[in-house]
Amino acid sequence: MVKEIPLRLGEKVMPEAPKVLLSNGNYCIPQHYLTYHHTLQSVEAIICDIEYDPRYVVFAAQDLGDIYIQVGVVGHDNYHKKSSQKPNQEKLLFGRKWRVEKELPTSEIIQSVFLAIKKSREHEVRELFKLTLNDSTTTPFNTHIDLPLMAEFYESKENDNEEYTIEPKAEIQVSTQEKINHILEKITYDHSHLSLDDVQQRPNGLWLVDIKVHQTERSTLSEMTDVTLYLMLEEISLNTLSRALMQEFVRLSDLQVDKHFSYKGFHRFDPTIDIAEIADLSQQSRKHELAAHFASEFSKTNQQVDLTRIPPVKAGALAKKHKQIIKQFQLQMQ
């Protein structure tokens, strides 16, 4: 039986837009032939069809007429010691607000939620990387470090070539393995410990370093279970190893969201979905002729939407900076 894919809240069909017959026998009107007038109600309806981890609670709200989404994370405050928190004491920790334009396609709102969850999880992940220096535990990759202060601090150190290190003193001859293990002793991640599994240097000078993750009863991240990390480094140092580790932790966190984020039960970003099938469906929705009268309406509507995306520019230092950039590339504001 032939079905027609229904419209959702906030969607409206352009006048005389064509219907497209898909290979599964169903008709649809592709999203590029729709206009969007989303409200708080329609955004809430979209979120109701999204599933991920129940610890990541997605809210929709409205502030001075603007709709936004916000992710609340159920967990412990990473900046309070466990000893100062009651057993099982968890709370809802809120991240930044993500504005949702009323003209935004439904698919892009879903992707905005996807991105908001990814960045909320990355925020937590960066705080779980802990480095011990001078008998004090630090979180150097957290996003709360004072950036203006860092800019001023490093400007005053621009002529200082001294490099901080926690590696063994130069006069003590140590193997590469010992050097790496000395660094790993200073690092924990999600209450897990790290150990060197293997290290090799390629003919091009790059180092291949395999690191085993050992979880404890306090570890919480599912993607780190029975994991070996495979890193490629230009040199063996605290800085390069720590940054490579953090990059891999973020990649694994993103992949975890890719696999488990779903809309109406469909895991759009799961890497097991055949990319050729996605490309084929995209082609089906676009490879057809448009009637001349609709092609004109289609172009006009797109131009109107594009105009809503141009930000207002007021006189000032930022406007002067933008003017120089636009002049450099000979751009035009539509």
Side-chain angles (χ1 to χ4, degrees), residues 137-204:
T137 301
T138 66
T139 56
F141 292 113
N142 83 73
T143 57
H144 298 293
I145 295 177
D146 189 333
L147 288 181
L149 174 61
M150 288 181 69
E152 293 177 8
F153 178 77
Y154 278 93
E155 182 180 8
S156 66
K157 283 175 60 69
E158 61 182 2
N159 296 321
D160 184 358
N161 295 321
E162 181 181 354
E163 182 179 352
Y164 187 84
T165 180
I166 62 170
E167 298 160 17
K169 294 182 179 180
E171 62 267 21
I172 303 176
Q173 295 297 320
V174 297
S175 67
T176 300
Q177 290 86 347
E178 290 174 319
K179 188 176 182 180
I180 294 173
N181 282 324
H182 185 75
I183 296 172
L184 294 179
E185 288 173 359
K186 307 292 184 181
I187 296 172
T188 63
Y189 177 64
D190 185 34
H191 304 289
S192 300
H193 303 289
L194 311 176
S195 67
L196 178 64
D197 192 45
D198 190 27
V199 58
Q200 297 179 21
Q201 188 172 28
R202 300 288 294 164
N204 61 3

Side-chain angles (χ1 to χ4, degrees), residues 53-287:
D53 181 334
R55 286 183 172 273
Y56 289 79
V57 187
V58 183
F59 295 85
Q62 202 158 4
D63 184 9
L64 300 177
D66 291 330
I67 304 169
Y68 65 88
I69 57 176
Q70 191 171 15
V71 178
V73 182
V74 178
H76 295 279
D77 189 336
N78 291 328
Y79 289 99
H80 284 82
K81 294 182 179 180
K82 287 282 184 179
S83 58
S84 67
Q85 299 187 54
K86 297 179 181 178
N88 300 320
Q89 181 184 26
E90 295 181 317
K91 56 185 179 180
L92 205 53
L93 306 169
F94 291 96
R96 55 154 291 184
K97 299 174 182 178
W98 297 70
R99 183 183 174 192
V100 176
E101 302 166 46
K102 296 177 181 178
E103 301 84 7
L104 207 61
T106 302
S107 181
E108 293 186 29
I109 294 178
I110 297 169
Q111 292 178 79
S112 293
V113 175
F114 171 73
L115 182 59
I117 291 174
K118 266 197 170 183
K119 289 305 174 183
S120 292
R121 201 173 194 274
E122 179 182 334
H123 183 105
E124 299 299 308
V125 159
R126 288 183 173 276
E127 294 177 354
L128 294 175
F129 182 101
K130 297 183 179 180
L131 176 66
T132 300
L133 295 176
N134 302 323
D135 298 321
S136 178
T137 301
T138 66
T139 56
F141 292 113
N142 83 73
T143 57
H144 298 293
I145 295 177
D146 189 333
L147 288 181
L149 174 61
M150 288 181 69
E152 293 177 8
F153 178 77
Y154 278 93
E155 182 180 8
S156 66
K157 283 175 60 69
E158 61 182 2
N159 296 321
D160 184 358
N161 295 321
E162 181 181 354
E163 182 179 352
Y164 187 84
T165 180
I166 62 170
E167 298 160 17
K169 294 182 179 180
E171 62 267 21
I172 303 176
Q173 295 297 320
V174 297
S175 67
T176 300
Q177 290 86 347
E178 290 174 319
K179 188 176 182 180
I180 294 173
N181 282 324
H182 185 75
I183 296 172
L184 294 179
E185 288 173 359
K186 307 292 184 181
I187 296 172
T188 63
Y189 177 64
D190 185 34
H191 304 289
S192 300
H193 303 289
L194 311 176
S195 67
L196 178 64
D197 192 45
D198 190 27
V199 58
Q200 297 179 21
Q201 188 172 28
R202 300 288 294 164
N204 61 3
L206 293 177
W207 291 92
L208 304 182
V209 183
D210 302 347
I211 295 177
K212 187 71 177 176
V213 177
H214 305 276
Q215 290 187 306
T216 66
E217 61 181 12
R218 294 176 63 186
S219 302
T220 60
L221 298 177
S222 60
E223 70 268 23
M224 302 309 297
T225 303
D226 297 324
V227 164
T228 299
L229 309 172
Y230 302 99
L231 310 179
M232 185 166 63
L233 309 178
E234 293 184 357
E235 62 177 7
I236 304 299
S237 68
L238 167 66
N239 188 50
T240 56
L241 181 55
S242 296
R243 291 186 179 278
L245 283 169
M246 191 70 254
Q247 185 176 22
E248 184 65 4
F249 293 149
V250 172
R251 186 190 72 83
L252 291 173
S253 176
D254 284 347
L255 182 58
Q256 200 271 356
V257 181
D258 290 346
K259 291 179 177 179
H260 298 284
F261 179 93
S262 69
Y263 171 73
K264 289 193 172 181
F266 175 62
H267 295 75
R268 159 67 178 92
F269 303 99
D270 191 330
T272 61
I273 295 176
D274 191 340
I275 195 69
E277 292 183 0
I278 297 175
D280 179 61
L281 179 59
S282 178
Q283 288 180 334
Q284 290 183 53
S285 69
R286 294 178 182 277
K287 290 182 66 175

Side-chain angles (χ1 to χ4, degrees), residues 9 39-50 59-61 67:
L9 285 175
T39 63
L40 180 58
Q41 182 185 14
S42 66
V43 173
E44 288 178 340
I46 292 170
I47 294 173
C48 284
D49 287 328
I50 291 174
F59 295 85
I67 304 169

